[in-house]
Amino acid sequence: MKKHLWTIAALLMGASLFTACNDDDDPKKNLQGFEVIDGMLTVCSGNERAGIPGSLTLFDYEKEAATQNVFAKANGMSLGSTANDALVYGTKLYVTVTNENTLWVLDSKTFKAIKRIDTKELVGNDTGLKPRRLCSYEGKVYVSTFGGVVAAIDTIAYERKDLYQAGSYPEGIIVHNGFLYVANSDYGNGKTPSISKINLKTNTATAIVGKDVINPQYFAVSGNELFFLDYGGYDAEYNQHDNGIRRLNDDDTMNRIVDATAMTANDRFVYSYNNPYPTTKIAYNKYDTRNGSVTALALQNIDSPAAIGIDLVKGWLYVASLKKNPETGYADYKAAGYVNIYDAAGNLHKTYDTGVGPTTFAFRTKLLFK
């Protein structure tokens, strides 16, 4: 992996080559292995007001079929209210459930629970409140909390190894070129939004602020450039404005790229859609980091987009959507959603149902030998 870590909506490192372990009893000794994607997980937040718990849907690449509620089926219990993010790291799947103050550690193949981490117990009653987003780096999983911190957790003992002070209501996190970046959303209040830039070697922090940091949410890296998505603000009539993707430069300056409310990226392109409140005109775009061009995408059969992700091996683009309520014509937040898969040319490949409130994606790999 390059000197960055993708956050979890929806990104995965491309295929990598490495040699098998040198155990003399290993029949695969000295064989070359490579990772391929074998599944894609959709995290569904549910609907807390309606009493609908969060869930996980697995799309199996070999079978090209989806299985819903894989956590509940494997463990005989609910995932919890407001599942928010997921990350596959090694052989484990990590899932944050915000209003349960929970970080689940699961076997990524069977979805059996290995550990339930109470983030308030791990970090503190106030600082560990409401875990939000995940990333990984050098054997640790990082989790942001609405308590204003990012905790680094050892993936073997599940103990807290480091704790980093962030800003107001942290959301997305990423490690890039030796720095931990934290999107401090300020819960959309617009008073103290910022991006924390924390040097992981010296543990020194810088707060990045400015007119283009209004309600930062997520990070992505493409072509070794760092981007963040900002939800912008709202006027007196709740019209959303100044939402979009910004490139964050090494000197902490930034450039606006394209209006957007969601994004994902591979090594060359940043894909996005723009669906600001209250518009009904949704735009899908592809930004080329090599020449700076923005190309409109004609993605079809999407009612109300809720998440976007990309398979870095096949180039498939995933868009999760809410269904429209047939009576009101608006998005139905209590109904099961669906996911559309598009090929690299933007053609619809497949559609499958998912749970209520799809919110992000996580990709799973398996090891093949040759």
Side-chain angles (χ1 to χ4, degrees), residues 305-357:
I308 188 169
I310 190 165
D311 174 332
L312 300 189
V313 179
K314 290 180 177 291
W316 287 354
L317 190 66
Y318 291 79
V319 179
S321 178
L322 305 177
K323 294 178 181 177
K324 283 188 178 180
N325 186 310
E327 296 180 359
T328 66
Y330 293 101
D332 192 339
Y333 291 90
K334 298 179 183 178
Y338 61 91
V339 175
N340 285 348
I341 306 175
Y342 301 88
D343 64 21
N347 301 309
L348 181 61
H349 173 72
K350 193 174 186 67
T351 299
Y352 62 90
D353 290 333
T354 187
V356 175

Side-chain angles (χ1 to χ4, degrees), residues 178-235:
F179 292 92
L180 171 65
Y181 289 85
V182 187
N184 302 307
S185 70
D186 195 35
Y187 208 59
N189 293 316
K191 295 180 179 179
T192 59
S194 67
I195 293 174
S196 296
K197 182 180 180 181
I198 303 168
N199 188 316
L200 291 177
K201 290 184 178 179
T202 64
N203 201 17
T204 55
T206 302
I208 302 172
V209 297
K211 63 181 179 62
D212 286 328
V213 183
I214 304 168
N215 185 2
Q217 293 290 319
Y218 308 102
F219 294 101
V221 170
S222 180
N224 206 36
E225 293 181 335
L226 179 63
F227 300 86
F228 72 93
L229 176 76
D230 198 292
Y231 279 172
Y234 296 86
D235 64 19

Side-chain angles (χ1 to χ4, degrees), residues 144-355:
S144 63
T145 75
F146 270 174
V149 300
V150 176
I153 303 169
D154 178 82
T155 58
I156 303 299
Y158 310 115
E159 297 174 347
R160 192 186 83 198
K161 304 300 292 184
D162 297 290
L163 189 66
Y164 302 95
Q165 185 65 48
S168 176
Y169 291 93
E171 287 281 3
I173 53 179
I174 197 169
V175 177
H176 175 64
N177 290 340
F179 292 92
L180 171 65
Y181 289 85
V182 187
N184 302 307
S185 70
D186 195 35
Y187 208 59
N189 293 316
K191 295 180 179 179
T192 59
S194 67
I195 293 174
S196 296
K197 182 180 180 181
I198 303 168
N199 188 316
L200 291 177
K201 290 184 178 179
T202 64
N203 201 17
T204 55
T206 302
I208 302 172
V209 297
K211 63 181 179 62
D212 286 328
V213 183
I214 304 168
N215 185 2
Q217 293 290 319
Y218 308 102
F219 294 101
V221 170
S222 180
N224 206 36
E225 293 181 335
L226 179 63
F227 300 86
F228 72 93
L229 176 76
D230 198 292
Y231 279 172
Y234 296 86
D235 64 19
E237 297 181 351
Y238 301 102
N239 296 298
Q240 194 172 357
H241 61 84
D242 293 312
N243 51 285
I245 298 169
R246 289 80 151 118
R247 182 176 63 241
L248 185 55
N249 304 312
D250 290 340
D251 61 0
D252 300 341
T253 60
M254 59 196 75
N255 306 94
R256 292 197 179 196
I257 302 300
V258 65
D259 293 344
T261 53
M263 71 172 180
T264 188
N266 61 16
D267 281 345
R268 178 173 177 178
F269 298 106
V270 180
Y271 296 86
S272 64
Y273 63 77
N274 191 39
N275 187 28
Y277 183 84
T279 186
T280 56
K281 296 181 180 179
I282 305 167
Y284 301 89
N285 292 297
K286 178 175 69 173
Y287 170 72
D288 190 331
T289 60
R290 295 182 185 177
N291 59 32
S293 64
V294 176
T295 304
L297 300 175
L299 303 184
Q300 303 296 318
N301 301 329
I302 304 171
D303 292 317
S304 180
I308 188 169
I310 190 165
D311 174 332
L312 300 189
V313 179
K314 290 180 177 291
W316 287 354
L317 190 66
Y318 291 79
V319 179
S321 178
L322 305 177
K323 294 178 181 177
K324 283 188 178 180
N325 186 310
E327 296 180 359
T328 66
Y330 293 101
D332 192 339
Y333 291 90
K334 298 179 183 178
Y338 61 91
V339 175
N340 285 348
I341 306 175
Y342 301 88
D343 64 21
N347 301 309
L348 181 61
H349 173 72
K350 193 174 186 67
T351 299
Y352 62 90
D353 290 333
T354 187

